[in-house]
Amino acid sequence: MGPAAGDDKTRISAPSVSKQKIPARYQASVVIVQGYAEGMEYSVDRTYAVIGRNKDAAVPLRDPLASREHAVIVYHDGVFVLKDLDSTNGTHMRGASIRQRKLRHGDKFRVGDTVLQFILQDSGRARTYEIA
């Protein structure tokens, strides 16, 4: 049974065995830039990477203001997206609460009292070198 008419609430669930994978040319990670375990870097190598207090999360946080499954980074159709998982205290980016937002290299976001930064390296991008 589908959602009721007028029900615009996004439902996010972990994908069943997804055939889509993050291309090898991408190396994505999240770094804790402020909070417990500052400086820790976590690789985002799943198409559905949970951020939260759950010890099995892809990015585990020791922050009492974070939910067990607070937010998720989803990779789909060549784009990384940060989505809040209906957390109690919300997910914030650029000073505003977000439901979901496309992530770009260097983006910072806050979960509870923890500030994280998304890092994306794309080895497939063409590089131009100037030879003097």
Side-chain angles (χ1 to χ4, degrees):
M1 184 169 160
D7 182 8
D8 61 354
K9 184 171 172 127
T10 302
R11 287 173 179 78
I12 304 167
S13 60
S16 54
V17 180
S18 175
K19 291 182 173 61
Q20 185 179 25
K21 295 185 185 229
I22 298 173
R25 71 181 232 198
Y26 291 135
Q27 289 185 346
S29 62
V30 174
V31 177
I32 297 176
V33 294
Q34 182 180 332
Y36 183 85
E38 186 173 312
M40 281 294 296
E41 183 172 3
Y42 297 93
S43 178
V44 176
D45 53 7
R46 309 173 198 168
T47 57
Y48 190 91
V50 174
I51 301 167
R53 284 187 299 113
N54 188 333
K55 65 179 179 175
D56 296 327
V59 182
L61 301 178
R62 291 189 68 185
D63 183 332
L65 296 178
S67 299
R68 280 182 234 179
E69 292 189 353
H70 195 102
V72 65
I73 295 175
V74 178
Y75 176 82
H76 183 71
D77 288 339
V79 177
F80 289 91
V81 176
L82 174 66
K83 295 183 180 184
D84 184 79
L85 295 176
D86 293 325
S87 64
T88 303
N89 294 311
T91 301
H92 298 82
M93 184 181 269
R94 298 183 192 112
S97 181
I98 63 153
R99 297 287 300 140
Q100 76 176 41
R101 182 77 46 96
K102 180 179 173 183
L103 283 171
R104 294 184 195 99
H105 172 73
D107 279 346
K108 291 182 182 177
F109 57 96
R110 184 171 53 82
V111 170
D113 281 334
T114 305
V115 177
L116 304 108
Q117 185 171 30
F118 180 71
I119 306 296
L120 179 62
Q121 296 177 2
D122 182 352
S123 63
R125 288 193 168 212
R127 293 183 177 94
T128 304
Y129 297 96
E130 185 174 320
I131 300 172

